[in-house]
Amino acid sequence: MNGKVIVSFLIGVSAIAGAGLWYTTNFLYYESVTAETVILQGDQWPVDDYQGIDAESSPLKLRACFKVDWDFIPDETHKEVSEPLRAPYWFDCFNAETIAKDIAADAATVHLASKNEPFGFTTYVAQYPDGRAYMWRQINDCGEAQAEGDPLPQGCEDVRVADTTPLTKTLGGPNPGQPLDMTMTLVPVGGGNAEAVIADELQVVSSNAQPELIWACFKVLMNHSTLTESYQLVDAAAPLKPLVDIDCFDAETLAADLQTGDALAFLGQRDVAPGIDRMVAIYDDGRAFAWHQRMD
């Protein structure tokens, strides 16, 4: 009887955590945005019927749909590098797949709105001949190099944002000075929704320059034997060097221990941001470390 109660309790906790993650990903940090103009490379251009969303939690959450009365001049300058990112399902005026196909087929042209505002991100506008237009923000070469811990490409150092103060927030929004309040999860072997795990002594930091990246240290109550039976292992884990101070997270040591098998890497959560997954490395004694990693 006790066993059934415990199992029911764990299932209930997992369901609540899964619902919370779904709500957080799709709704919590988004805010509606309106505008009468948009900026393209420093110049303001009038727009109509602007519908937009954005969030303080990540520069990548910007999406907008609007109408323009600009001359349509085909331009392939940004055709190959622009990649419209999917919007939440409820923001249905923005269909990333359709926009991408239309750009590839020259049915829409892409304008550069801004680069490195904020650092590491580029904002694009796709314009159609009939006046429809769509805006989004995506990570650029400066941001990718910084996320991977590689030397910045030429020109990036000149515009690099110096503020790397740890960005700390609760589920309600930014709250400087306190650890990030978030649920640690692992993806089951059979797939499906990520399941919450009990995490003690949780420390999490992020960066103002790249708020979609996190580094975390914590402890779990499960050993390798239990974990490998229940959760997905990953081979492509590559711990990133933190952009901000977190003494408990040593990326080089962690990478070496993953190579020797002293630590095992699990999939924590898919698509925490477009193209980014959460990885979790766990030692047999319960020490655990998480980071966000861009996937190819």
Side-chain angles (χ1 to χ4, degrees):
M1 185 66 178
N2 289 339
K4 291 183 179 179
V5 171
I6 293 172
V7 170
S8 298
F9 173 76
L10 291 175
I11 292 174
V13 170
S14 298
I16 293 171
L21 286 170
W22 175 84
Y23 177 81
T24 299
T25 301
N26 287 283
F27 291 99
L28 186 60
Y29 297 122
Y30 286 100
E31 296 180 358
S32 296
V33 180
T34 59
E36 296 181 353
T37 62
V38 297
I39 297 176
L40 300 182
Q41 293 184 283
D43 294 326
Q44 288 193 337
W45 295 74
V47 301
D48 294 313
D49 300 332
Y50 187 102
Q51 302 176 59
I53 53 174
D54 205 349
E56 293 183 357
S57 61
S58 171
L60 292 173
K61 292 187 181 292
L62 171 70
R63 305 287 189 285
C65 312
F66 47 92
K67 294 181 180 178
V68 302
D69 188 21
W70 315 333
D71 292 336
F72 183 81
I73 303 175
D75 184 354
E76 296 190 357
T77 304
H78 309 291
K79 177 179 177 179
E80 299 300 326
V81 295
S82 60
E83 298 178 2
L85 304 181
R86 284 179 296 173
Y89 73 90
W90 48 265
F91 192 68
D92 54 8
C93 70
F94 192 103
N95 188 314
E97 292 183 359
T98 298
I99 297 169
K101 289 178 181 177
D102 290 342
I103 292 171
D106 295 324
T109 193
V110 182
H111 302 287
L112 174 65
S114 65
K115 183 175 182 179
N116 286 318
E117 296 177 9
F119 179 82
F121 300 89
T122 298
T123 304
Y124 291 107
V125 173
Q127 178 191 356
Y128 286 75
D130 62 5
R132 288 174 295 136
Y134 304 90
M135 177 184 286
W136 71 94
R137 189 182 286 131
Q138 64 189 59
I139 196 166
N140 59 33
D141 53 350
C142 299
E144 288 180 349
Q146 179 168 272
E148 296 294 337
D150 296 332
L152 294 178
Q154 186 174 3
C156 293
E157 287 285 2
D158 298 335
V159 295
R160 182 169 187 170
V161 175
D163 182 11
T164 57
T165 302
L167 175 65
T168 58
K169 61 190 177 187
T170 64
L171 291 180
N175 183 20
Q178 298 297 323
L180 287 169
D181 182 8
M182 61 194 308
T183 302
M184 285 298 163
T185 60
L186 295 174
V187 175
V189 170
N193 294 330
E195 297 179 353
V197 296
I198 298 175
D200 291 331
E201 302 179 25
L202 178 64
Q203 301 178 57
V204 190
V205 297
S206 184
S207 164
N208 287 342
Q210 298 260 11
E212 74 280 6
L213 301 181
I214 63 102
W215 293 266
C217 309
F218 55 102
K219 290 184 178 180
V220 298
L221 302 180
M222 294 176 285
N223 58 26
H224 281 176
S225 178
T226 302
L227 288 163
T228 54
E229 290 179 358
S230 304
Y231 300 107
Q232 287 188 28
L233 289 163
V234 291
D235 297 324
L240 302 178
K241 182 178 180 181
L243 301 179
V244 291
D245 291 334
I246 178 167
D247 293 339
C248 61
F249 195 105
D250 185 332
E252 292 185 3
T253 299
L254 188 55
D257 289 344
L258 287 171
Q259 289 290 328
T260 61
D262 290 334
L264 298 179
F266 297 86
L267 179 61
Q269 186 180 339
R270 293 190 186 279
D271 295 325
V272 290
I276 295 177
D277 292 347
R278 179 177 300 161
M279 300 294 175
V280 180
I282 303 177
Y283 289 80
D284 202 37
D285 61 7
R287 287 176 295 139
F289 304 87
W291 67 96
H292 288 177
Q293 180 176 320
R294 178 165 293 279
M295 306 307 294
D296 296 330

